[in-house]
Amino acid sequence: MNRQIIMKSRPVGAPQPHNFELREVPIPELAAGEVRVENHWLSLDPYMRGRMSDAPSYSAPLEVGDVMEGETVGRVQASRDARFAEGEWVVGRGRWQTHSVLEAGQCRKLSPQIPKPSLALGILGMPGVTAYVGLKHIGQPKPGETVVVAAASGAVGAVVGQLARQAGCRVVGIAGTEAKCQYVSETLGFDVCLNHRAPDLARQLKDACPEGIDVYFENVSGPVFEAVFPLLNDFARIPVCGLISFYNATGLPSGPDRTPLLMRAILTKRLTFRGFIVTDFLADWPEALQALEAAFVAGTLQYQEHVLSGLEAAPQGLIDLLEGKNFGKVVVDLKPA
Ligand code: NDP
């Protein structure tokens, strides 16, 4: 039998455990061109909150009753496609379930060099590529510039900051606890990391960026963006990657309409804000994965996983991720010892 978690109802605000349901169904038969994968690892990512909403977005929403969306890594159990053999490790959009039947063309084989399969869901997969392409194409950091990145200990932010340091920039991270800040500055090697819960974040950020901000890699928005905004330099670049502080919001924040201030700064400082989705840069994936893997294997990129045990842990894992309770890339071990 296949164990899977469906979206039982659409959340309003923060998702709750009752929005999810575990069920058991038979494993489907294979058609030509498909592979059946026994999943070992499931990735939990902030975008999943967006899929649970029916608000217009770049991707179609889940319907109530659908298996929750998500990437998985597992081993091919049966194949009806010549490109894949039994036993091979693959990554694909296997969803929240123990077994997936996937179109072979939608699967990617894991590199034999990969030290642990779950890395293909994080630094050596979608989040790592997100950091790489967002920084390369939109951030375009130059030596000596100041780069600020929020959610700095997370899957995307940790890679952004390390790559920006390697590009010769001053890198300021922003994270949500003292322990995360210590990890970001001491282990990841950012120049500074500030706690966004500090009441004087704006002043601390100003002190940490004496020459202003040239690249702000936007992962969260909200009060962190408020602190960043006045410090943006002329011609600053802002890759808009994610807005996690809004994902559970049910309405607009109260307060005056500050659109004129934003638009005036965009005009007078000639700012570049560009939203992107990692799949906009499919042609860059091979280059990005190769570069990230080489750096990781050489020990020049550090990375931390937040491992949860068993499929049942996934709903609370997503709820916690959206509240910043994770410390590193969240993966679910679907076959815990
Ligand atoms: P993380 O591993 O960084 O986990 C999310 C983190 O967001 C939390 O740990 C928390 O860190 C932070 N956070 C949550 N709520 C808030 C808040 N209200 N204010 C400030 N920080 C908050 O996740 P990812 O690295 O996977 O994702 C980071 C961002 O990148 C997300 O916005 C995601 O949607 C986006 N993304 C976009 C992609 C694209 O193609 N455009 C692809 C992949 C990710 P802390 O405790 O430090 O605040």
Side-chain angles (χ1 to χ4, degrees):
M1 294 295 278
N2 184 21
R3 300 172 70 237
Q4 53 184 208
I5 293 179
I6 60 160
M7 182 176 78
K8 192 178 178 205
S9 55
R10 262 188 221 295
V12 179
Q16 306 292 327
H18 65 75
N19 297 129
F20 305 88
E21 187 172 82
L22 180 71
R23 69 182 184 189
E24 290 200 3
V25 295
I27 298 172
E29 292 301 313
L30 278 186
E34 291 181 336
V35 291
R36 186 173 72 233
V37 181
E38 185 188 26
N39 297 320
H40 287 236
W41 296 94
L42 165 68
S43 179
L44 296 183
D45 299 272
Y47 74 83
M48 293 167 175
R49 177 64 186 89
R51 297 288 194 283
M52 297 181 83
S53 161
D54 57 3
S57 188
Y58 61 90
S59 190
L62 290 169
E63 297 301 329
V64 170
D66 282 350
V67 182
M68 285 291 298
E69 177 77 48
E71 258 195 329
T72 49
V73 167
R75 296 186 92 140
V76 175
Q77 261 190 341
S79 173
R80 289 196 59 196
D81 187 284
R83 288 168 290 181
F84 291 92
E86 211 180 296
E88 280 187 309
W89 283 98
V90 292
V91 57
R93 303 204 72 81
R95 299 179 176 247
W96 293 23
Q97 54 191 346
T98 56
H99 298 79
S100 308
V101 170
L102 298 167
E103 278 179 46
Q106 304 295 316
C107 295
R108 177 165 59 84
K109 284 187 199 190
L110 260 58
S111 152
Q113 263 65 268
I114 218 166
K116 185 182 173 203
S118 58
L119 297 174
L121 301 172
I123 190 167
L124 306 184
M126 185 278 283
V129 176
T130 302
Y132 187 96
V133 298
L135 202 59
K136 174 182 168 187
H137 288 288
I138 308 172
Q140 300 179 11
K142 295 167 194 63
E145 288 191 327
T146 299
V147 175
V148 174
V149 56
S153 70
V156 175
V159 179
V160 168
Q162 292 180 88
L163 294 178
R165 277 288 284 143
Q166 289 167 14
C169 298
R170 173 173 176 75
V171 179
V172 178
I174 299 178
T177 65
E178 291 307 318
K180 287 183 182 181
C181 288
Q182 191 177 355
Y183 164 74
V184 168
S185 49
E186 290 179 10
T187 305
L188 301 183
F190 289 29
D191 294 279
V192 190
C193 186
L194 307 176
N195 187 337
H196 64 77
R197 298 183 206 279
D200 61 343
L201 173 67
R203 187 195 54 74
Q204 285 192 36
L205 189 61
K206 192 163 186 246
D207 291 347
C209 305
E211 295 183 23
I213 297 170
D214 302 294
V215 178
Y216 173 52
F217 199 99
E218 176 63 292
N219 280 332
V220 304
S221 196
V224 174
F225 179 72
E226 296 284 330
V228 164
F229 178 56
L231 302 176
L232 291 171
N233 288 334
D234 286 357
F235 301 104
R237 287 83 64 199
I238 299 96
V240 181
C241 175
L243 309 169
I244 195 168
S245 71
F246 299 149
Y247 290 175
N248 284 332
T250 51
L252 294 174
S254 58
D257 179 1
R258 302 183 66 216
T259 315
L261 287 179
L262 178 64
M263 296 306 281
R264 187 211 292 238
I266 291 173
L267 174 63
T268 59
K269 293 186 175 179
R270 287 84 99 206
L271 304 175
T272 301
F273 281 77
R274 181 172 165 195
F276 76 102
I277 302 299
V278 61
T279 46
D280 297 340
F281 295 100
L282 284 180
D284 285 67
W285 278 60
E287 170 197 311
L289 288 172
Q290 203 175 23
L292 292 165
E293 187 179 305
F296 184 75
V297 170
T300 55
L301 277 181
Q302 304 301 316
Y303 177 68
Q304 176 157 308
E305 283 184 337
H306 180 108
V307 179
L308 303 173
S309 243
L311 182 65
E312 298 81 351
Q316 192 60 47
L318 179 60
I319 293 167
D320 289 347
L321 170 65
L322 294 165
E323 292 177 3
K325 291 183 183 159
N326 62 308
F327 191 165
K329 168 71 193 118
V330 187
V331 288
V332 183
D333 183 350
L334 298 174
K335 294 176 75 67

